[in-house]
Amino acid sequence: MSVVLYPGSFDPFHLGHLDVIEQSVELFGNVTVAAMHNPTKPSGMFNLDERMEMIKASVAHLPTVTVRSFSGLAVDAARDTNAGFIVKGLRTGGDFEIEQQMAHTNHAVAGVRTVYLPCKPSLVFISSRFIRELAKYGGDVAELVPAPVAARLADLN
Ligand code: PNS
């Protein structure tokens, strides 16, 4: 089976992301998770190394998953990791709009294909943005993120 690349900001990593990784392992076998810089979200909460460490701790039970960080293009990360294609999770129609644009662009400029996976219905409402807001004001995010991320966020307050 080929390696697939799952790129994202993961700032922070949450249970919806973990679901996409678990689906990808089931369908494709080997998965490289790429914590990426998103130029449209410059003011993040954690740096790339911190995000990567939280993802590693959250996927420790999945031996076919590798976690890396990249600061360039997703298509270059796909090439560097020998990924056959990119996987992305879709929560809502809003996600589809932006993901479709990125998928077409990545295929047009580098021939890299993207496969969408529907997020588990019980997790579609989860977003990193609202987790950041909750964490900033000391809200409880334990139901939204894996335990290693919850512990790291609790440390902030
Ligand atoms: O989790 P996000 O913020 O939806 O992930 C978006 C991400 C990081 C995958 C996207 O911004 C990205 O691919 N960034 C790397 C730069 C890049 O390749 N830009 C061209 C996109 S067509």
Side-chain angles (χ1 to χ4, degrees), residues 7-10 36-39 41 72-74 88 99 102 105-106:
S9 304
F10 309 123
M36 312 277 311
H37 177 64
N38 182 342
K41 299 178 187 171
L73 296 174
K88 289 290 192 73
E99 294 300 343
M102 282 197 277
T105 303
N106 286 332

Side-chain angles (χ1 to χ4, degrees), residues 54-127:
M54 279 183 271
I55 301 168
K56 278 186 182 171
S58 303
V59 301
H61 61 295
L62 299 168
T64 61
V65 176
T66 303
V67 185
R68 305 263 307 267
S69 68
F70 293 89
S71 53
L73 296 174
V75 291
D76 288 339
R79 188 199 56 221
D80 290 354
T81 58
N82 291 317
F85 52 92
I86 288 171
V87 293
K88 289 290 192 73
L90 290 184
R91 292 168 298 189
T92 61
D95 280 350
F96 178 76
E97 295 276 322
I98 180 69
E99 294 300 343
Q100 185 82 331
Q101 266 190 305
M102 282 197 277
H104 284 313
T105 303
N106 286 332
H107 185 253
V109 301
V112 176
R113 299 251 181 226
T114 299
V115 168
Y116 305 134
L117 296 174
C119 293
K120 193 187 282 185
S122 59
L123 303 175
V124 291
F125 67 94
I126 300 178
S127 82

